[in-house]
Amino acid sequence: MLKHVLSLAAWSPCPSHAQIPPASLQRFLTFNAMRIHAACRNAKTWKIRWEEEQHANGVKWQQLEHRGPYFAPPYERLPRGVSFYYNGKPMRLSPATEEIATFYAKMLDHDYTRKAIFKKNFFCDWTEQMTSEERKKIKQLDKCDFREIHDYFVERQEAQKALPKEEKQKLKKEAERIQEEYGYCTIDGHREKIGNFKTEPPGLFRGRGDHPKMGRVKKRIMPEDVIINCSKGSKIPKPPPGHKWKEVRCDNSVTWLASWTENINGAIKYIMLNPSSKLKGEKDWQKYEIARCLKGVVGKIRAQYRADWKSKEMKKRQRSVALYFIDKLALRAGNEKEEGETADTVGCCSLRVEHLRLHPRMGGKENVVEFDFLGKDCIRYYNLVPVEKQVFKNLQLFMENKGPGDDLFDRLSTSTLNKHLQDLMEGLTAKVFRTYNASITLQEQLDALTNEDDNVSAKLLSYNRANRAVAILCNHQRATPKTFEKSMQNLQAKINVKRDQLCDAKLELKKAKADSRCKRDVKSKAALEKKQKHVEKLEEQLEKLVLQATDKEENKQIALGTSKLNYLDPRISVAWCKRFCVPIEKIFNKTQREKFAWAIDMADEDFVF
DNA sequence: AGAATGACTTGCTCCAAGGGAG
DNA sequence: CTCCCTTGGAGCAAGTCATTCT
């Protein structure tokens, strides 16, 4: 009860409360505001509440004050002894040309510098920045020798690592100071952490996969590029001496504090709040509430798209099959992309004929669809999926008279699909299916896999397995860590040692038993108990190690982080922890607990997604 | 209608800090 | 205490989707 009273007081607009509460209290209060909000759900729908409370006119905040971005340090020239060579001869470069040369030099060991497109783009952009004399001289990249510059940076990095303790302390202190000064803002009277308060440093653009723009020069961001967003009455951040902001505006319908346009794709980059902030937390919560709404209507929606598989309208048929994929396989929507501007990747709506193969019969199954395409971040999606007869027939129809490069769903776009979804349920879009299916899968898997009588380590393995099921569904992959084999061997070695120890301990226990039986005194009995305990402890440790090894092996190429952070309603995990007496720290680390503070505060053990 | 723009979420990789084993 | 390995978190690219422009 007291909690509620406190929270209301703290969130009242009274300016006397506008000082900063201690972080923990602040968090507590913040999320209690949402708990009250949650309690209102019964009276009015949550949807109506949002619109009334905070989204009226798209207003996200009343007051916002911050220090502006922290800029990347200016370029420092190379020492005289470190030189660039052209055609074997040392050459002193102009500052701008030299700076770009160092970007390339630093990457010499990387595979990127072996790719033709990377080299071509780099050389093209580099040449553009050169003085006319430099341009006349430097004609070919193969004649450029960056090795000395490269070695210089390697050495410098090593020197940095080898710095004495006090020096490192000093650097750390300085970083903390910067974080303290630039890393926080005040929003509606509350001090909140900023997510990314530094501008991106200049360098060479590295796309993922076969990106046509890899190697292009990312320009240095200057205050003159930056738009500041803050509230009218607040202290406007000062630009660095001698500089001006591009613009200072006051737009409280958006959540960013500063922005600039990046020169490679012309995209806008933003400085925004940390996930631990109230603003982000509420947004996250809303996302899961929409997904929970889908739970209520998904049966109906499924029935409808199945019916549409037989529609006379081609558009509807395509839409219904696409939606089936999005629902069943958790595919992304798949917006169109500008050709030649980005790597060639696809999602559901942008699938092409070449990305599927139809197998009427395969491996004892009928109507198997073989998917093979590059998805977001050029991660391969490969899956063999038996589908309903009608879907299979439709796919054959969609692929008729088309070349491999033609769109599978030529009558469908993400915007028409999303418009349709919006009609089925307010707030419904393609990506809600991913959130919904991920969260519901976690819940089902946890129910199926958790054994109440297990110890904590075994329960954790169950949790990770449930998490893994979701990651597999969402195709969240990772490169096998470079040290994987080695650390697996280490773990195995540890297990072997533990086994031997246990064996020895058991032997000793036997001896102690015999000894105690024969002597029947207090001392030998105590010794026996001690040995007994030792064996139990070792058994427990061994089991834990074996579980760890299993978990590690199963997780070799699967990334759990993305689903944990973005797709799984944290309240499911919180409830599971409470129900099975697993400390929340075992599931969520500090950062995750901060991000999910709302859920930790809100969910009790019988929360159901 | 559909292209362009803007805002915000999602996603993977890399690397240094720090924690545990020896 | 040192070393080594794991993990946290920074970094930033690349998606989604609504809105605005033409």
Side-chain angles (χ1 to χ4, degrees):
Chain A
M1 261 304 100
L2 183 63
K3 285 183 185 179
H4 289 208
V5 177
L6 273 173
S7 70
L8 285 172
W11 278 100
S12 69
C14 170
S16 67
H17 286 285
Q19 350 84 339
I20 302 145
S24 59
L25 178 63
Q26 185 194 345
R27 207 167 52 233
F28 179 82
L29 297 175
T30 304
F31 291 106
N32 259 292
M34 291 203 283
R35 171 186 282 177
I36 292 165
H37 188 155
C40 293
R41 270 215 308 269
N42 295 334
K44 296 184 177 185
T45 72
W46 52 271
K47 187 82 194 173
I48 294 168
R49 293 294 304 188
W50 297 352
E51 276 153 19
E52 281 180 4
E53 284 183 8
Q54 44 182 315
H55 294 273
N57 309 318
V59 168
K60 310 266 162 69
W61 45 263
Q62 295 297 331
Q63 177 265 332
L64 174 63
E65 186 169 308
H66 58 92
R67 289 292 319 259
Y70 182 79
F71 287 91
Y75 177 63
E76 263 177 58
R77 294 223 60 174
L78 292 171
R80 285 284 174 173
V82 179
S83 189
F84 163 78
Y85 293 83
Y86 190 72
N87 229 345
K89 292 193 196 84
M91 181 175 168
R92 172 101 175 146
L93 301 173
S94 68
T97 308
E98 185 187 280
E99 181 178 13
I100 296 171
T102 64
F103 299 156
Y104 194 86
K106 284 179 189 167
M107 295 173 81
L108 235 43
D109 283 340
H110 206 286
D111 263 353
Y112 278 108
T113 57
R114 247 138 271 143
K115 296 190 180 178
I117 303 174
F118 189 92
K119 290 202 235 181
K120 185 185 137 264
N121 284 335
F122 163 74
F123 196 66
C124 182
D125 277 8
W126 189 32
T127 317
E128 224 167 81
Q129 285 302 311
M130 289 177 187
T131 63
S132 49
E133 294 87 69
E134 284 168 338
R135 202 165 16 240
K136 264 181 237 156
K137 259 183 129 175
I138 302 174
K139 288 285 181 199
Q140 286 174 44
L141 187 57
D142 346 336
K143 294 189 176 163
C144 295
D145 182 357
F146 302 96
R147 201 25 83 175
E148 203 169 291
I149 306 178
H150 172 86
D151 293 346
Y152 164 71
F153 283 111
V154 171
E155 270 167 44
R156 216 175 66 163
Q157 200 175 12
E158 246 133 61
Q160 187 79 9
K161 261 187 216 157
L163 238 41
K165 245 195 337 218
E166 316 89 69
E167 289 296 314
K168 280 190 178 167
Q169 270 305 318
K170 233 193 231 168
L171 288 172
K172 204 177 153 190
K173 274 267 155 61
E174 175 63 8
E176 275 166 18
R177 210 212 82 231
I178 292 166
Q179 164 77 40
E180 203 52 40
E181 182 172 352
Y182 290 88
Y184 293 85
C185 68
T186 319
I187 179 163
D188 293 337
H190 290 262
R191 190 165 186 257
E192 297 267 35
K193 205 168 174 186
I194 298 171
N196 57 324
F197 58 89
K198 292 175 178 170
T199 61
E200 290 172 18
L204 302 185
F205 176 82
R206 316 137 93 118
R208 295 195 217 280
D210 277 329
H211 197 115
K213 296 186 178 181
M214 63 168 82
R216 294 204 46 195
V217 175
K218 241 173 78 164
K219 288 201 182 128
R220 177 178 293 276
I221 306 304
M222 301 302 284
E224 285 70 15
D225 302 316
V226 173
I227 302 173
I228 296 290
N229 192 28
C230 61
S231 57
K232 280 209 176 92
S234 74
K235 249 188 275 158
I236 291 164
K238 276 201 196 73
H243 290 279
K244 294 193 290 243
W245 301 121
K246 179 179 183 184
E247 186 191 329
V248 177
R249 68 169 73 155
C250 171
D251 181 355
N252 68 0
S253 71
V254 296
T255 66
W256 52 269
L257 317 186
S259 72
W260 66 87
T261 303
E262 149 267 350
N263 69 300
I264 304 288
N265 301 299
I268 308 170
K269 299 268 186 165
Y270 301 95
I271 287 185
M272 285 184 186
L273 294 176
N274 188 274
S276 63
S277 61
K278 173 176 179 274
L279 199 69
K280 292 282 190 190
E282 279 176 343
K283 212 64 200 306
D284 211 29
W285 175 44
Q286 287 167 8
K287 176 181 77 185
Y288 292 113
E289 287 305 297
I290 294 183
R292 290 175 83 198
C293 276
L294 176 55
K295 191 188 174 189
V297 295
V298 76
K300 219 176 88 193
I301 290 175
R302 283 173 179 159
Q304 199 192 106
Y305 70 60
R306 296 174 78 92
D308 286 347
W309 289 344
K310 294 179 196 151
S311 170
K312 284 187 206 102
E313 270 181 84
M314 191 55 157
K315 255 188 197 171
K316 261 195 187 174
R317 278 208 194 196
Q318 293 196 352
R319 193 178 69 195
S320 63
V321 172
L323 190 49
Y324 168 74
F325 286 161
I326 286 170
D327 183 22
K328 183 184 173 79
L329 306 174
L331 299 191
R332 297 186 188 83
N335 285 312
E336 287 110 296
K337 300 169 78 184
E338 225 174 316
E339 219 182 312
E341 294 290 298
T342 58
D344 179 22
T345 63
V346 296
C348 185
C349 294
S350 50
L351 279 170
R352 297 191 298 261
V353 171
E354 61 194 324
H355 298 131
L356 295 91
R357 269 204 237 160
L358 305 182
H359 304 279
R361 195 145 294 164
M362 189 192 213
K365 283 177 184 151
E366 292 194 342
N367 306 320
V368 176
V369 183
E370 182 181 3
F371 290 86
D372 192 353
F373 61 89
L374 295 183
K376 183 176 177 179
D377 291 317
C378 290
I379 299 295
R380 185 178 179 206
Y381 183 92
Y382 183 84
N383 204 356
L384 292 168
V385 191
V387 301
E388 278 82 342
K389 182 98 194 166
Q390 192 55 236
V391 172
F392 199 79
K393 277 192 191 164
N394 274 322
L395 290 172
Q396 286 172 324
L397 180 68
F398 302 159
M399 288 161 84
E400 241 169 49
N401 303 319
K402 281 186 192 170
D406 291 337
D407 284 342
L408 177 69
F409 301 116
D410 53 307
R411 307 286 178 85
L412 186 69
S413 72
T414 50
S415 69
T416 55
L417 176 65
N418 278 333
K419 267 196 199 100
H420 173 243
L421 293 176
Q422 194 64 235
D423 293 341
L424 297 180
M425 186 195 107
E426 218 183 326
L428 186 61
T429 63
K431 89 188 184 87
V432 178
F433 280 88
R434 239 166 114 81
T435 313
Y436 162 71
N437 279 310
S439 287
I440 203 81
T441 301
L442 178 75
Q443 188 168 83
E444 285 166 4
Q445 288 295 304
L446 283 177
D447 283 347
L449 298 174
T450 318
N451 188 347
E452 204 160 348
D453 306 324
D454 277 347
N455 60 28
V456 172
S457 333
K459 283 176 185 165
L460 284 175
L461 178 62
S462 303
Y463 181 88
N464 280 346
R465 282 185 162 154
N467 193 166
R468 201 139 47 229
V470 176
I472 289 167
L473 175 72
C474 295
N475 200 38
H476 291 143
Q477 298 187 23
R478 62 166 182 175
T480 306
K482 287 189 186 91
T483 55
F484 186 84
E485 285 308 326
K486 206 174 135 202
S487 66
M488 204 65 210
Q489 278 169 12
N490 285 349
L491 196 53
Q492 200 54 53
K494 261 197 208 165
I495 289 174
N496 293 340
V497 169
K498 203 54 90 182
R499 279 223 173 91
D500 291 348
Q501 284 176 351
L502 183 61
C503 223
D504 293 348
K506 276 183 177 165
L507 265 174
E508 282 188 40
L509 177 64
K510 230 179 194 173
K511 270 189 226 156
K513 260 186 193 158
D515 192 41
S516 150
R517 216 173 296 146
C518 137
K519 284 186 187 155
R520 297 183 174 276
D521 63 349
V522 184
K523 201 174 156 194
S524 66
K525 201 176 167 193
L528 172 64
E529 267 170 29
K530 204 174 153 194
K531 296 287 175 203
Q532 183 71 43
K533 280 235 171 82
H534 187 54
V535 167
E536 280 166 20
K537 196 176 145 202
L538 284 173
E539 273 173 343
E540 204 174 291
Q541 285 174 337
L542 176 64
E543 196 202 338
K544 198 173 163 183
L545 285 173
V546 170
L547 289 173
Q548 235 179 58
T550 314
D551 201 31
K552 203 184 182 96
E553 183 61 45
E554 289 179 1
N555 227 22
K556 191 173 175 179
Q557 295 183 71
I558 297 170
L560 300 184
T562 301
S563 53
K564 206 177 202 177
L565 239 45
N566 301 301
Y567 288 104
L568 302 177
D569 188 332
R571 290 171 294 183
I572 298 169
S573 300
V574 172
W576 180 85
C577 282
K578 287 188 176 164
R579 193 154 358 122
F580 294 105
C581 303
V582 176
I584 194 83
E585 297 78 23
K586 300 273 182 189
I587 299 289
F588 294 145
N589 67 31
K590 185 168 152 278
T591 319
Q592 290 162 345
R593 291 198 300 276
E594 278 166 13
K595 167 167 173 156
F596 298 135
W598 60 273
I600 293 170
D601 188 42
M602 202 186 274
D604 52 30
E605 65 171 73
D606 34 54
F607 171 83
V608 178
F609 176 75

